[in-house]
């Protein structure tokens, strides 16, 4: 992770992706711009992140390991995505890794400094609840589809893509 000291770029990303709408406090005063190189980890399993990230450029992969140490890709995220809200915000160890698939830029908020502020921001918590509900519903849909025959899943995949 490399911090980028460029206030105008930070403000541009906040405006472009309407990031201020996610929380009540002035995002530009509590955030910093950070970059990650391809294949660099933003979040690693079992280690709470020091930052909450808004992905504003690039693509990341969320993955875990199966019992035989194979990578299982859970999802891919592109701008704008919030990363670290499910566990790091609560200082709990994440159950998945987040790795940059391309060079990435994020608006980062230090959880060491601003965890309590974020946890007491009602607008922020409402947005996080909505995001987590969406992810939970997608997970249930995925689990349900895995019980369907391969032919049905393949047909749905072909129709969707």
């Amino acid at each position: 992770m490399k911090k980028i000291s460029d206030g105008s770029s930070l403000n541009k990303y906040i405006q472009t992706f309407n990031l201020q709408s996610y929380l009540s406090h002035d995002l530009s005063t509590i955030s910093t711009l950070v970059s990650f190189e391809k294949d660099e980890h933003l979040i690693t399993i079992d280690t709470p992140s020091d930052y909450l990230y808004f992905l504003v450029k690039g693509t990341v992969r969320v993955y875990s390991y199966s019992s035989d140490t194979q990578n299982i890709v859970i999802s891919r995220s592109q701008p704008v995505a919030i990363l670290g809200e499910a566990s790091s915000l609560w200082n709990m160890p994440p159950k998945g890794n987040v790795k940059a698939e391309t060079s990435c830029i994020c608006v980062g908020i230090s959880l060491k400094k601003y965890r309590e502020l974020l946890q007491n921001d009602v607008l922020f918590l409402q947005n996080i609840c909505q995001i987590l509900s969406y992810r939970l519903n997608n997970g249930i849909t995925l689990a349900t589809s895995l019980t369907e025959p391969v032919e049905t899943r393949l047909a749905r995949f072909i129709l969707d893509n």
Side-chain angles (χ1 to χ4, degrees):
M1 177 176 89
K2 179 182 173 188
K3 290 186 180 182
I4 303 170
S5 297
D6 184 354
S8 64
S9 291
L10 174 64
N11 288 325
K12 181 183 126 200
Y13 283 120
I14 290 172
Q15 289 176 353
T16 300
F17 293 103
N18 197 23
L19 299 181
Q20 186 58 58
S21 68
Y22 284 89
L23 63 159
S24 301
H25 296 84
D26 183 16
L27 182 57
S28 64
T29 61
I30 65 170
S31 64
T32 186
L33 214 52
V34 293
S35 67
F36 294 90
E37 296 299 319
K38 181 180 178 179
D39 294 329
E40 187 176 358
H41 280 89
L42 285 75
I43 298 172
T44 55
I45 201 163
D46 293 331
T47 306
S49 175
D50 291 334
Y51 285 85
L52 176 84
Y53 299 108
F54 289 93
L55 178 66
V56 293
K57 185 176 180 184
T59 304
V60 298
R61 175 185 330 142
V62 180
Y63 71 97
S64 188
Y65 296 105
S66 67
S67 58
D68 60 356
T69 67
Q70 287 184 332
N71 286 349
I72 299 173
V73 176
I74 298 166
S75 67
R76 285 185 168 79
S77 295
Q78 297 176 337
V80 64
I82 299 179
L83 307 168
E85 81 292 341
S87 55
S88 294
L89 177 62
W90 307 103
N91 207 24
M92 295 169 26
K95 299 300 178 194
N97 296 295
V98 181
K99 184 178 187 179
E101 286 190 336
T102 63
S103 295
C104 296
I105 296 179
C106 297
V107 173
I109 301 173
S110 170
L111 291 172
K112 288 181 179 184
K113 289 182 183 177
Y114 300 109
R115 178 178 280 116
E116 188 174 336
L117 181 133
L118 292 172
Q119 289 175 341
N120 290 305
D121 186 328
V122 174
L123 178 60
F124 178 73
L125 293 176
Q126 287 173 336
N127 281 300
I128 295 305
C129 285
Q130 185 177 20
I131 290 165
L132 293 176
S133 292
Y134 174 77
R135 289 184 188 167
L136 178 62
N137 286 332
N138 280 347
I140 290 170
T141 303
L142 174 63
T144 303
S145 73
L146 291 176
T147 62
E148 295 175 338
V150 172
E151 296 83 7
T152 304
R153 289 185 285 166
L154 178 60
R156 184 175 292 118
F157 175 79
I158 291 170
L159 288 173
D160 287 345
N161 296 295

